[in-house]
Amino acid sequence: MYNTKFCKISYLKEKNAILCQWKQFCKGDDYRDPLKYALKEIEKHQISTWITDTTYGFESTEADTKWLLEEFVPSVINSSIEKVVFIIADDSSLMDEIKGQEVALSEYFEVVLVERLDAV
């Protein structure tokens, strides 16, 4: 498990999933390091589901969004991940951003939006 004041990454063995729980705004290595850790766990355990809890999510900086699209997403596409789940409330301020990600990611993965982890 990876846990900082910004993000917690957990391996959910029973769901064969990696859970990324954002806690507060961060950028640079504070944003990227948890995602890099998650990629190592995905490879180690051949994880098939990526779950992001956006409850305390935030809009990323332009530099981190660029890194996400150019480096992180291609790594996930080439991994064992088959399904991407976003935990998001219907009235979340991030809904438009997540809907956009849903459209883009649907080309490569099954993408699901749920309101609670127990719905996964």
Side-chain angles (χ1 to χ4, degrees):
M1 182 173 66
Y2 181 100
N3 196 9
T4 69
K5 67 181 182 176
F6 302 108
C7 186
K8 179 178 176 183
I9 302 287
S10 306
Y11 170 45
L12 307 178
K13 187 175 183 178
E14 70 283 356
K15 295 182 184 293
N16 193 28
I18 198 86
L19 173 61
C20 175
Q21 296 171 291
W22 294 106
K23 299 178 185 179
Q24 63 178 325
F25 175 77
C26 59
K27 61 184 180 177
D29 287 341
D30 291 328
Y31 176 80
R32 299 173 193 193
D33 287 348
L35 299 176
K36 290 176 185 176
Y37 172 84
L39 281 173
K40 290 177 187 171
E41 289 295 293
I42 289 166
E43 185 176 322
K44 179 179 175 182
H45 301 287
Q46 292 299 292
I47 295 170
S48 62
T49 303
W50 178 283
I51 305 168
T52 297
D53 184 348
T54 69
T55 303
Y56 302 104
F58 50 86
E59 290 188 31
S60 301
T61 65
E62 186 176 331
D64 287 333
T65 298
K66 183 178 178 186
W67 174 85
L68 188 78
L69 296 173
E70 292 178 359
E71 295 186 40
F72 180 73
V73 171
S75 295
V76 175
I77 289 168
N78 291 316
S79 75
S80 56
I81 294 294
E82 299 171 356
K83 182 177 184 179
V84 174
V85 178
F86 291 99
I87 300 171
I88 185 164
D90 284 339
D91 61 353
S92 171
S93 63
L94 296 175
M95 186 57 83
D96 288 341
E97 179 182 346
I98 298 302
K99 286 283 193 182
Q101 290 185 25
E102 177 185 22
V103 170
L105 294 172
S106 290
E107 183 176 337
Y108 306 100
F109 310 102
E110 174 187 357
V111 181
V112 180
L113 277 58
V114 298
E115 288 196 18
R116 298 174 323 278
L117 180 58
D118 60 9
V120 176

